[in-house]
Amino acid sequence: MKIQIKNGRLIDPKQGIDAVQDIYLAAGRIVGLGQAPADFHANRVIDATGLVVCPGLVDLSARLREPGFEYMATLESEMRAAAAGGITSLACPPDTDPPLDEPGLVEMLKFRAKSMPGPRVYPIGALTWKLKGERITEMAELHEAGCLAFSQADTPIVDTQVLMRAMEYAATFDFPVWLRPRDAHLIKDGVAHDGAVAARLGLPPIPVVSETIALASIILLMKATGARVHVCRLSSAAAIDMVRAAKAEGLPLTCDVNVHHLHLTELDVADFNPNCHLYPPFRSQRDRDAIRTALADGTIDAICSDHAPVDDDAKELPFQEAEPGATGVELLLPLTLRWARESGRSLSQAIDLITRKPAGILGIEAGQLGIGAPADLCLFDPEAWWQVTRKSLHSLGKNSPFLGLEMQGQARYTIIDGHIDFERNHTA
């Protein structure tokens, strides 16, 4: 398949490109920018007038709910949803059932994902057996099976010695360790930010210090072990200050934030909306503003969807009993664009945070439009308005804090490996 995309606004932060020009795809690769290669005859020409043509989005956390949670969603449905959101590569956390702690499970997930259309799937292996935090996994074997990094997902390791041994082992092979900074004793059964709203509603609180104490341990263990660490889903100004200081020291530390935390605060749980029950919780206005600033100054390296489709039965419960999480793959692009508009940041800077930078954290050949790069692209209309409804979401998870609200910016085409994986009717 040879594709010519003409008249689009090409944005590639890696190469500093922001201009209207044509791009040419063949044999799964980008083969020309501006001028067509010799003897190039397109099988398909896409007129991208009015559209932005950028690298396909790279999502650092998307739960596909297989294996083990097919009653919530399926691999097929969530990969289709991700493609509808412009995502061409995604990392899958290890908190499946069973967890991704054995090579056979990783190989099966990769085989299943490869057998159907949709984004490239990169499994993240479990750091400890069954995610119990007691015995470290055979990371070398999991790496051979296809794991690019190792994580505990949402489950903290309570025994600090186990965490240190896991980081030592990972450092030996230079495997990156992805950790959510959460102190299990301080979280307990908390469900909301420890602030005025939780106090007024009588919700069990999660204090900021549950994040900062865990992060302090991680940073100190990095220094002791030499491990490379990616900190997942920062939520507080205090934690961001700690990451900023650690980076200034030269530690090999990166971090990301859930796209929902760019826009929502503790005030959004005031009506007990279970769709606003997320981990980490939405925090104060000051924390949200600090996240926005940290994205702009580069302290936070990437934005992810932290996609977690949940079935209605698990969400239609009182706030503190509802399953945490929100569907996100179809909102990653418009919510990132909204942050850029509200913060006065360029389109290129916004795209960088969901393409090149997460690709660099994963260590994959994606997130760019250079000649010879994989033909993974997203063509989106930055002006298109659409409403988030149960019907408009492709994901089987209809749980979103933004249900009923309008978004600006929508993927029109998602091209993966040189093939049109998703195409949206312009009137949709």
Side-chain angles (χ1 to χ4, degrees):
M1 169 73 83
K2 293 182 179 180
I3 300 175
Q4 176 189 1
I5 303 169
K6 65 178 186 180
N7 303 326
R9 178 183 171 187
L10 220 65
I11 297 181
D12 180 3
K14 182 171 184 177
Q15 300 184 81
I17 296 176
D18 185 350
V20 174
Q21 59 179 287
D22 295 356
I23 183 168
Y24 302 87
L25 317 178
R29 295 273 163 177
I30 296 169
V31 295
L33 295 171
Q35 297 295 321
D39 300 324
F40 185 94
H41 302 288
N43 305 108
R44 171 94 185 254
V45 177
I46 297 175
D47 185 354
T49 302
L51 303 183
V52 170
V53 180
C54 72
L57 276 55
V58 179
D59 191 355
L60 292 178
S61 180
R63 288 169 176 78
L64 304 175
R65 295 309 193 193
E66 286 194 38
F69 299 102
E70 289 84 354
Y71 60 93
M72 292 186 177
T74 65
L75 203 62
E76 184 178 11
S77 68
E78 301 320 291
M79 289 176 68
R80 185 173 66 246
I87 293 169
T88 56
S89 300
L90 59 84
C92 179
D95 52 351
T96 50
D97 185 20
L100 299 178
D101 60 359
E102 293 182 5
L105 295 168
V106 175
E107 289 164 355
M108 178 60 70
L109 176 61
K110 289 192 68 176
F111 175 79
R112 288 261 298 135
K114 212 168 183 177
S115 68
M116 54 185 73
R120 304 172 196 268
V121 173
Y122 297 96
I124 304 301
L127 197 58
T128 63
W129 186 72
K130 303 298 179 192
L131 297 174
K132 290 186 174 180
E134 297 170 351
R135 176 159 60 90
I136 61 175
T137 55
E138 295 293 341
M139 293 183 220
E141 293 179 7
L142 289 169
H143 177 71
E144 285 181 14
C147 293
L148 299 184
F150 297 91
S151 165
Q152 279 291 109
D154 288 347
T155 307
I157 295 179
V158 177
D159 187 333
T160 313
Q161 188 178 61
V162 174
L163 177 58
M164 186 173 76
R165 298 298 178 220
M167 291 172 71
E168 283 177 339
Y169 186 85
T172 302
F173 295 95
D174 197 29
F175 296 148
V177 178
W178 292 18
L179 295 170
R180 279 196 175 191
R182 306 179 73 200
D183 183 282
H185 299 296
L186 291 170
I187 294 173
K188 286 200 170 175
D189 55 356
V191 296
H193 171 63
D194 187 6
V197 174
R200 176 164 55 83
L201 300 179
L203 294 173
I206 300 177
V208 165
V209 72
S210 67
E211 183 170 88
T212 52
I213 281 183
L215 182 56
S217 295
I218 291 169
I219 291 171
L220 289 172
L221 289 174
M222 284 183 70
K223 293 177 182 179
T225 63
R228 281 194 294 137
V229 172
H230 176 70
V231 178
C232 308
R233 318 309 101 79
L234 284 184
S235 70
S236 67
I240 289 167
D241 286 343
M242 293 170 68
V243 167
R244 190 175 282 122
K247 286 189 168 187
E249 283 186 53
L251 293 180
L253 180 68
T254 54
C255 64
D256 67 53
V257 66
N258 180 335
V259 72
H260 294 85
H261 286 71
L262 307 187
H263 301 285
L264 303 176
T265 72
E266 60 179 332
L267 295 175
D268 292 289
V269 308
D271 62 354
F272 294 102
N273 180 359
N275 285 330
C276 291
H277 184 185
L278 271 69
Y279 284 139
F282 300 131
R283 297 203 180 273
S284 68
Q285 180 86 31
R286 176 174 169 272
D287 292 310
R288 192 201 66 169
D289 292 347
I291 288 171
R292 290 177 157 223
T293 301
L295 278 171
D297 69 20
T299 303
I300 295 178
D301 300 277
I303 303 170
C304 72
S305 75
D306 205 20
H307 180 67
V310 176
D311 64 315
D312 290 344
D313 289 344
K315 270 296 183 187
E316 292 176 352
L317 293 170
F319 185 89
Q320 62 196 80
E321 297 173 25
E323 180 85 12
T327 190
V329 286
E330 295 165 83
L331 298 175
L332 178 59
L333 175 64
L335 289 177
T336 301
L337 297 177
R338 179 172 157 185
W339 162 77
R341 282 193 300 272
E342 292 175 352
S343 304
R345 298 293 158 179
S346 70
L347 208 49
S348 180
Q349 189 172 5
I351 290 170
D352 201 28
L353 290 161
I354 50 178
T355 58
R356 182 184 68 91
K357 287 191 172 180
I361 291 167
L362 263 177
I364 59 174
E365 186 187 22
Q368 58 162 315
L369 299 180
I371 293 177
D376 294 352
L377 290 82
C378 171
L379 281 62
F380 70 89
D381 184 345
E383 304 299 329
W385 284 92
W386 61 285
Q387 188 176 27
V388 183
T389 65
R390 293 178 66 88
K391 188 177 179 183
S392 68
L393 291 173
H394 290 72
S395 170
L396 289 186
K398 308 300 181 185
N399 47 304
S400 170
F402 296 96
L403 271 180
L405 300 181
E406 290 200 324
M407 295 282 151
Q408 188 176 14
Q410 189 176 48
R412 286 285 169 78
Y413 299 89
T414 302
I415 298 174
I416 302 172
D417 201 26
H419 296 278
I420 299 174
D421 196 77
F422 176 81
E423 182 174 357
R424 190 185 306 276
N425 185 313
H426 289 203
T427 59

